[in-house]
């Protein structure tokens, strides 16, 4: 009934209730969103906060299911960043990155483990 791409996305690309997925082109993304919304709806789930760097993809999602912008703007180069689970997403360049803010800890085994686990 649904393509293997849809079922594999359900099995492998969700983390709790967050989905991060990349497609080859916008047309595939629109179809994948449509099919995911259908299959999730059959199970009684309504996935909200959809977001994409492609306007065509965003336009294919009903407004009430789209993510409300919570964009951070870098004033130096004008790039926009959106938070994703554990990462920052540069929407314009379509890159993921993370920032590390290490706190000074004592150079003990406990301090090293504390810093390592904070990453």
């Amino acid at each position: 009934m649904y393509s293997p791409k849809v079922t594999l996305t359900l099995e492998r690309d969700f983390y709790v209730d967050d989905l991060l997925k990349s497609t080859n082109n916008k047309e595939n993304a629109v179809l994948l969103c449509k099919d995911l919304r259908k299959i999730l709806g059959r199970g009684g789930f309504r996935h909200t906060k959809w977001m994409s760097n492609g306007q065509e993809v965003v336009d294919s999602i009903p407004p009430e299911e789209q993510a409300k912008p919570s964009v951070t703007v870098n004033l130096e180069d004008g790039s926009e960043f959106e938070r994703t689970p554990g990462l920052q997403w540069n929407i314009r360049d379509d890159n993921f990155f993370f920032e590390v803010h290490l706190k000074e800890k004592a150079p003990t085994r406990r301090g090293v483990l504390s810093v390592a686990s904070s990453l």
Side-chain angles (χ1 to χ4, degrees), residues 65-80:
E65 294 182 9
Q66 294 176 13
K68 305 296 181 254
S70 62
V71 173
T72 304
V73 177
N74 181 342
L75 297 176
E76 291 179 18
D77 63 4
S79 43
E80 298 178 342

Side-chain angles (χ1 to χ4, degrees), residues 21-82:
K21 182 70 175 177
S22 177
T23 62
N24 295 353
N25 56 52
K26 293 174 187 172
E27 293 79 21
N28 287 346
V30 169
L31 290 173
L32 182 63
C33 288
K34 178 182 168 189
D35 288 345
L36 283 171
R37 289 179 56 244
K38 279 184 189 176
I39 196 169
L40 289 168
R42 289 188 64 190
F45 300 98
R46 186 171 149 246
H47 194 69
T48 59
K49 301 181 190 174
W50 290 90
M51 179 176 291
S52 173
N53 64 329
Q55 193 59 46
E56 298 164 35
V57 180
V58 173
D59 290 343
S60 74
I61 304 292
E64 63 274 6
E65 294 182 9
Q66 294 176 13
K68 305 296 181 254
S70 62
V71 173
T72 304
V73 177
N74 181 342
L75 297 176
E76 291 179 18
D77 63 4
S79 43
E80 298 178 342
F81 304 104
E82 181 66 43

